[in-house]
Amino acid sequence: MSTDLSPTSLGTDSARRLLRLLREGAAPEEYQDLLKRCPAAEVASLRPLVEDALHVRAQLEERRRREDELAALYETAGDLSSLRNLEAVLQAIVHRARQLLGTDAAYLMLNDTQHGDTYVRTTDGIRTDAFKHCRLAMGAGLGGLVAKTAVPYNTPDYLHDPRFDHTVDDVVRPEGLIAIQGVPLKLGEKVIGVLFAANRSARPFSDHEVALLVSLANHAAIAIENATLFQEVQRAVDDLTEANAVIQAHSASVEQAASLHERLTSIVLHGGDMADVAQNLAEVLGGSILVLDPAGGVTAAVGADPVVEQARQNGPLPQGSPEARAVHEACVLSAESRRTRRVPGSGTRALACATPIMAGTEVLGSLALVRDRLDASDLRSLERAALVTALMLLSERSVAEAEHRLRGEILEDLLGAPHRDFEGLRRRAALMGLDLGRPRTVLAARCRGGGHRRAIADAATAFAGQAKGLAGEFRGDVVALLPGEHDPAATARSLADHLSRAVGDAATVGGTSAAEGVDALVEAHRDAVQCLGVLLALDRDGQGASPDELGIYGLLFSQAGREELERFVCREIGPLLDYDKRRSGELIRTLLAYFACDGSLTRTAADLFVHVNTLYQRIDRVTALLGPQWRHGDHALQVHLALKVHSVLSAA
């Protein structure tokens, strides 16, 4: 059927205006206005033309809309294909879905094959947290049904649609969603999730809207797969990179361990010491190295860290600084736990790591490393070094014990039986650096009670070594023989100070000079021991002296003088000695305490741990034996002197 547009049937102006409206895409209302304004004679002819024009307009509008949708879909596919991050891909999908369909919200659910359900993965326009974390069983609700059947579903009013299993209405209702459509995300025949578009008002979804969302879902599924594959490849690359870094680090660790092992082996073979160990460890590991004894004293330190500098200046591990506290704590923890421990420094300061130097269950000391960063290879290297250090310390101990035994044997033969094999003795002494043909200074040292004897012997050996002398244990004392002529009193005081500092206890030393020959040496040793005994009897612990400095007690060193002192003691306090011997009494001890307390009976009773009445009884007994004058004037002095001489005679 054709429409007649000739001027005879329709006015020229009306026809021209109708074509202009169609060309310019005018609104439908403008076509109706054209009918109203045209002459009445032309209305019947113009009306079917207007209806045809409106139909053409609707077709053109639909074509433009589809072109816009296809352009937007093409743009969306391009955007999705350029994304590599899965999270960004998912967010772009829901954002585009909401934008293309002009809905209030869009969201995406993914299937969880492990749990057999589907869950909300990404949303756009969703407000409630409950909805964002919702999970659906397969077949439940609209989304569960799409995920189960792989068929698109939509509804203009979800809450009142009987087609669905309303198990999540308590989640959907607070969100306010009413019209919902969902389409499957498919890879081949496999459904991996559901893409949704939803409105908060009732409205149906047209077929072309469903088709548009399906098209977007198809592109989205491919983009999800690509992003997932890209992330898997990226993870594989990261794993390979990490594995390569681990291999390189392990290779570097092996090279470091080999270099350290070679260095430490060389130190052992060439007779190195702790300083060599610390130096090589510092060169291989970097940082600062400290070698500590079981008491925490620093035996070797290498590095530029402040705690090392302080240790070099002060000897023992310095206290007060954060680094020193960290090193001390690490060493204590490692010794207690018998394993490597590390402690952080303060702020950005270095870490301290310590490992015990073990020989079986015995802790011989600690190796400490101070550095800004510590890793496992450093700790293993430190532990290997601790093993080598333990071997070195055990070797040094064995050598020291052998030398200690040798020195003791030489002193035993020299002072105990010098004439049994004098020539052999002379050769053995020469091997220890001692010339028996030269004058010597003889020193005898002891702590009260005989404690610290081995420590005293070691310290005395170091002291004697400086003078190329000999020191060792002999019959309960430590004896030192120094070649050459020395002032025995000054040397004894110097040795007493040295030993007291070394062992942390009062070490007393008696000294004398010996002329040439072994007999003179034996006699000088006897005098030195006797001098030591006198000093201890006089409570002069920690001091050093020679017989010439003992005043009246020097008479002990001659037989005639000793006999004269014994007669003096017997004359002054003989009755007291006889009483104590017959009755197992305490009179001598009581009077010594009495004079030490300056005659105060209260202090004397407290010093003796007796009741004051008991003390009065003992004083009365002394008065009965010695006479009342013993407590007064010169007689009191004579009694006190006799008591002291008796103590010295008993000790010597």
Side-chain angles (χ1 to χ4, degrees):
M1 174 181 170
S2 61
T3 303
D4 185 4
L5 295 179
S6 62
T8 59
S9 61
L10 182 64
T12 303
D13 290 341
S14 296
R16 187 182 296 112
R17 285 197 297 272
L18 180 61
L19 291 174
R20 185 183 300 115
L21 291 176
L22 187 61
R23 182 184 64 198
E24 294 176 354
E29 293 79 5
E30 295 185 49
Y31 288 89
Q32 298 301 325
D33 289 341
L34 177 61
L35 283 175
K36 293 177 182 179
R37 291 197 301 271
C38 72
E42 298 177 4
V43 170
S45 301
L46 185 60
R47 188 180 302 279
L49 294 177
V50 169
E51 291 176 356
D52 289 342
L54 287 173
H55 180 70
V56 171
R57 178 189 178 283
Q59 288 180 333
L60 292 174
E61 187 69 25
E62 177 67 17
R63 185 172 298 173
R64 280 196 298 271
R65 185 186 61 77
R66 290 190 179 185
E67 288 176 354
D68 291 341
E69 290 176 350
L70 288 174
L73 188 60
Y74 179 78
E75 182 183 355
T76 299
D79 290 345
L80 293 179
S81 63
S82 65
L83 296 175
R84 293 292 180 265
N85 180 270
L86 179 60
E87 191 65 35
V89 167
L90 297 176
Q91 195 63 51
I93 290 170
V94 295
H95 179 71
R96 286 289 187 174
R98 184 183 179 192
Q99 188 180 53
L100 286 175
L101 274 70
T103 55
D104 297 325
Y107 54 99
L108 184 147
M109 302 184 77
L110 292 180
N111 292 354
D112 189 337
T113 55
Q114 184 176 359
H115 293 88
D117 60 3
T118 183
Y119 64 96
V120 175
R121 179 65 172 80
T122 309
T123 65
D124 189 53
I126 296 298
R127 302 165 181 168
T128 60
D129 288 338
F131 198 101
K132 293 177 182 179
H133 299 93
C134 178
R135 299 186 76 95
L136 280 176
M138 289 296 183
L142 187 150
L145 190 59
V146 174
K148 181 178 180 180
T149 62
V151 175
Y153 277 88
N154 65 84
T155 175
D157 189 356
Y158 169 78
L159 294 175
H160 299 92
D161 195 324
R163 293 178 297 165
F164 308 116
D165 182 5
H166 293 269
T167 58
V168 289
D169 286 5
D170 56 341
V171 175
V172 177
R173 187 176 290 106
E175 185 60 40
L177 298 183
I178 298 176
I180 303 174
Q181 72 159 321
V183 297
L185 292 166
K186 298 174 65 176
L187 289 175
E189 298 300 322
K190 179 182 178 182
V191 177
I192 63 171
V194 181
L195 178 60
F196 296 86
N199 279 304
R200 292 187 171 87
S201 59
R203 57 154 280 195
F205 289 96
S206 64
D207 291 341
H208 80 268
E209 288 179 317
V210 174
L212 181 61
L213 193 60
V214 168
S215 298
L216 178 59
N218 292 335
H219 288 293
I222 296 173
I224 291 173
E225 182 183 33
N226 290 339
T228 302
L229 292 175
F230 181 80
Q231 286 195 345
E232 291 176 354
V233 171
Q234 188 62 49
R235 279 195 297 269
V237 171
D238 292 342
D239 291 343
L240 289 174
T241 303
E242 183 179 354
N244 184 55
V246 171
I247 292 172
Q248 290 181 345
H250 180 70
S251 177
S253 174
V254 170
E255 291 179 4
Q256 182 188 78
S259 173
L260 182 61
H261 179 75
E262 182 178 351
R263 286 170 175 254
L264 295 176
T265 302
S266 177
I267 292 173
V268 173
L269 293 177
H270 292 86
D273 56 16
M274 294 300 105
D276 296 322
V277 172
Q279 182 64 45
N280 281 271
L281 271 176
E283 291 175 359
V284 173
L285 299 180
S288 300
I289 299 292
L290 296 97
V291 184
L292 300 98
D293 60 26
V298 179
T299 59
V302 175
D305 198 88
V307 69
V308 175
E309 295 297 331
Q310 296 175 46
R312 287 201 192 101
Q313 297 173 8
N314 303 332
L317 184 67
Q319 297 298 316
S321 68
E323 297 83 6
R325 288 196 297 269
V327 171
H328 177 73
E329 183 179 354
C331 291
V332 170
L333 292 174
S334 69
E336 291 177 349
S337 62
R338 302 295 198 269
R339 59 190 179 90
T340 303
R341 299 297 294 268
R342 55 180 174 178
V343 176
S346 62
T348 59
R349 281 301 309 143
L351 294 174
C353 167
T355 189
I357 303 171
M358 302 285 296
T361 58
E362 181 184 2
V363 178
L364 304 178
S366 301
L367 273 180
L369 169 63
V370 181
R371 207 174 73 178
D372 291 335
R373 182 183 58 83
L374 298 173
D375 54 36
S377 63
D378 297 328
L379 305 185
R380 288 193 295 270
S381 296
L382 198 65
E383 290 168 351
R384 293 189 188 98
L387 292 175
V388 175
T389 306
L391 291 175
M392 293 177 61
L393 290 175
L394 289 176
S395 177
E396 290 179 359
R397 177 189 290 182
S398 298
V399 171
E401 289 178 350
E403 291 180 350
H404 183 77
R405 287 194 301 271
L406 180 59
R407 289 192 297 268
E409 291 171 359
I410 291 178
L411 288 173
E412 181 68 37
D413 291 344
L414 184 61
L415 301 176
H419 299 291
R420 185 170 56 190
D421 181 13
F422 178 75
E423 191 61 30
L425 180 60
R426 186 184 63 78
R427 289 194 302 270
R428 289 163 56 203
L431 291 174
M432 300 295 294
L434 187 65
D435 184 1
L436 297 181
R438 298 176 58 190
R440 288 162 301 281
T441 299
V442 182
L443 304 162
R446 186 195 316 157
C447 282
R448 185 175 295 277
H452 311 294
R453 194 161 58 191
R454 178 58 186 272
I456 293 175
D458 291 340
T461 298
F463 183 89
Q466 296 176 356
K468 297 183 179 180
L470 172 68
E473 294 183 44
F474 177 68
R475 298 183 181 177
D477 294 325
V478 173
V479 178
L481 306 179
L482 305 183
E485 296 182 0
H486 302 273
D487 179 359
T491 306
R493 285 191 290 273
S494 178
L495 179 59
D497 291 340
H498 174 75
L499 297 180
S500 298
R501 287 194 304 270
V503 302
D505 197 0
T508 309
V509 180
T512 186
S513 297
E516 297 181 6
V518 293
D519 291 334
L521 186 64
V522 172
E523 184 178 352
H525 168 256
R526 184 169 57 249
D527 289 346
V529 172
Q530 201 166 36
C531 180
L532 170 62
V534 171
L535 291 173
L536 291 174
L538 295 175
D539 295 327
R540 292 173 59 179
D541 298 53
Q543 298 183 24
S546 66
D548 295 340
E549 296 182 316
L550 296 180
I552 188 175
Y553 301 108
L555 295 173
L556 292 170
F557 296 91
S558 68
Q559 186 60 33
R562 188 180 185 88
E563 291 175 355
E564 179 61 31
L565 289 175
E566 289 175 348
R567 286 194 294 271
F568 168 72
V569 170
C570 185
R571 183 171 60 250
E572 295 297 329
I573 60 173
L576 302 182
L577 295 172
D578 292 339
Y579 181 88
D580 281 353
K581 185 175 180 181
R582 292 194 314 269
R583 304 285 185 89
S584 299
E586 295 280 345
L587 298 183
I588 296 295
R589 178 168 168 264
T590 299
L591 283 192
L592 283 171
Y594 173 80
F595 284 112
C597 294
D598 298 324
S600 170
L601 296 180
T602 302
R603 288 166 52 199
T604 303
D607 188 61
L608 294 172
F609 298 102
V610 298
H611 195 274
V612 69
N613 291 336
T614 302
L615 179 61
Y616 278 125
Q617 293 174 4
R618 292 182 183 179
I619 295 297
D620 290 343
R621 175 61 61 186
V622 171
T623 301
L625 293 172
L626 299 183
Q629 71 278 9
W630 74 269
R631 300 172 66 175
H632 307 288
D634 290 341
H635 200 70
L637 176 62
Q638 294 294 324
V639 171
H640 189 193
L641 182 59
L643 289 167
K644 298 295 289 185
V645 171
H646 170 69
S647 298
V648 173
L649 287 171
S650 300

